[in-house]
Amino acid sequence: MGNVITVMNMKGGVGKTTVTMHLAGIFARHQIGGRFRNVLMIDYDPQFNLSQAFIPPKTYFSLEKQRRTGLSILQDDEVDLNPFQIQVGGNLRPPELSDLVHSVYKLKHSRLDIVPSTLNLMYVALGQSEKRTAPLEERFEKFIGQCREEYDLVFIDCHPAGSILTKTSLQNSDHVIIPVSPQRYATRGIWLMMRFIEAKKPGTTGPTPHILFNSAPRFGRSRDEREIRADPKWAKRCMTTTMKWYTAFSEPLDGDGFVWSSNRPYSKEATRNLLSLAAELAERMDDKDET
Ligand SMILES: Nc1ncnc2c1ncn2[C@@H]1O[C@H](COP(=O)(O)OP(=O)(O)OP(=O)(O)O)[C@@H](O)[C@H]1O
Ligand SMILES: [Mg+2]
């Protein structure tokens, strides 16, 4: 059974998508903790930035036209889409994995796949529902059940808001990576996230949060990072390894420019950074090769 990881922060632009694409890639491409992994990314953000990083426009529009996107996990059809009203159908069965998954990287021992997003997911993100949204939640849960059978790791890239999307993602995850970039009010974002995580899994311990300092300076620590690490409430939740600021991390587009797949010399440091980060995450998830 695979591990499911939500990447989330209510604050926008902190690096959720960047962290998702690089961690997912390094886990598929390199042996971390002694093994390769089959990895799935679910782009659960209507902005579809993760999809754009991996899929060239022609292919993307073709997939969207065939409804091979995350919206189909929740809804069967896209008629009468209304920004103020979520469509809640009666069918509780989500599509088969093979109907939605698009392969972006294949190796001898592992693969990296994606369920792309669509701007139309915004109708679900914004809408309210007079009917209960339970059918959507049930479909998402069943879909994640299929993913756990098929993949070792599933990353879900969320949009920066509280919605049925972020709620269902958290409810079905074992871990939450909270990227934090060194900026004022970073602490506010963490508070909100912790409250949200607790509220969304009442009566259970919920997914385990991991605070990841992103765009960190190559040497030393920012004031915000020092403050957050010094707080006893959060100290244990903070990953020791930080994701540094490297131009190379901002370059992927249309399936090209990933540091984990390229041999360009300037990205070696960034790749090393990523390898350390993935190794720590595997440890924290207790996801190692036991053989
Ligand atoms: N470690 C890093 N090094 C260099 N650039 C980075 C790094 N992390 C993020 N960026 C850049 O910062 C910008 C915001 O990152 P990203 O889109 O991943 O944030 P996000 O949290 O997913 O945003 P949103 O809330 O809109 O979904 C992007 O241009 C990205 O390339
Ligand atoms: Mg994003």
Side-chain angles (χ1 to χ4, degrees):
M1 288 288 270
N3 263 311
V4 181
I5 306 165
T6 284
V7 183
M8 189 175 160
N9 192 331
M10 303 294 183
K11 234 172 153 346
V14 292
K16 297 178 285 296
T17 304
T18 307
V19 164
T20 305
M21 68 178 85
H22 287 97
L23 278 179
I26 204 93
F27 270 109
R29 171 77 176 75
H30 289 262
Q31 272 187 294
I32 310 288
R35 65 186 180 105
F36 291 101
R37 290 170 183 78
N38 291 324
V39 183
L40 175 68
M41 300 170 287
I42 299 179
D43 189 352
Y44 213 26
D45 180 349
Q47 299 178 92
F48 66 99
N49 292 337
L50 186 70
S51 309
Q52 285 179 59
F54 282 95
I55 309 172
K58 208 171 152 208
T59 312
Y60 174 76
F61 287 121
S62 158
L63 292 172
E64 198 189 30
K65 208 167 156 198
Q66 297 168 61
R67 302 200 62 244
R68 296 182 63 169
T69 73
L71 183 58
S72 301
I73 303 173
L74 307 170
Q75 297 180 340
D76 279 333
D77 43 43
E78 292 177 28
V79 285
D80 301 329
L81 286 177
N82 177 336
F84 303 108
Q85 186 75 43
I86 300 176
Q87 274 184 23
V88 183
N91 183 6
L92 300 177
R93 248 183 75 179
E96 295 296 317
L97 259 182
S98 54
D99 294 338
L100 297 191
V101 157
H102 176 69
S103 169
V104 288
Y105 205 79
K106 252 198 198 99
L107 282 155
K108 196 168 164 208
H109 304 287
S110 59
R111 65 184 196 273
L112 178 61
D113 295 346
I114 186 170
V115 174
S117 179
T118 163
L119 203 54
N120 281 347
L121 208 52
M122 199 65 92
Y123 289 104
V124 181
L126 292 177
Q128 302 291 318
S129 173
E130 283 159 14
K131 295 185 215 167
R132 285 171 54 241
T133 51
L136 272 65
E137 294 176 33
E138 188 170 331
R139 285 173 68 117
F140 190 78
E141 187 179 345
K142 284 180 178 161
F143 188 79
I144 295 295
Q146 291 184 50
C147 299
R148 283 183 193 277
E149 300 277 325
E150 198 67 30
Y151 295 91
D152 302 302
L153 277 181
V154 181
F155 285 90
I156 310 176
D157 180 24
C158 286
H159 71 147
S163 69
I164 181 144
L165 304 181
T166 37
K167 180 184 171 191
T168 47
S169 186
L170 282 179
Q171 278 176 339
N172 290 284
S173 289
D174 309 294
H175 299 273
V176 191
I177 295 177
I178 309 169
V180 173
S181 49
Q183 57 195 16
R184 286 169 71 200
Y185 303 120
T187 333
R188 292 278 293 132
I190 295 178
W191 254 117
L192 191 61
M193 273 303 302
M194 293 300 183
R195 299 286 305 271
F196 198 68
I197 292 168
E198 282 161 19
K200 290 306 159 199
K201 267 228 157 165
T204 73
T205 49
T208 309
H210 308 275
I211 297 168
L212 167 56
F213 295 96
N214 179 38
S215 299
R218 288 185 205 164
F219 304 99
R221 286 176 173 171
S222 69
R223 205 187 72 187
D224 304 84
E225 183 181 336
R226 276 184 275 126
E227 256 177 46
I228 292 168
R229 285 189 189 279
D231 192 319
K233 281 191 301 298
W234 294 324
K236 257 182 31 206
R237 303 296 184 196
C238 294
M239 293 186 71
T240 309
T241 319
T242 59
M243 187 154 169
K244 312 282 186 209
W245 193 93
Y246 286 112
T247 310
F249 283 147
S250 65
E251 297 199 327
L253 187 68
D254 298 346
D256 206 12
F258 296 97
V259 298
W260 43 261
S261 66
S262 90
N263 296 316
R264 289 174 300 179
Y266 79 85
S267 63
K268 275 193 177 148
E269 264 182 66
T271 311
R272 268 202 297 275
N273 181 192
L274 217 46
L275 284 166
S276 316
L277 198 56
E280 186 186 341
L281 186 62
E283 286 272 332
R284 291 176 77 98
M285 295 190 301
D286 202 16
D287 180 3
K288 289 165 285 188
D289 189 1
E290 303 296 343
T291 55

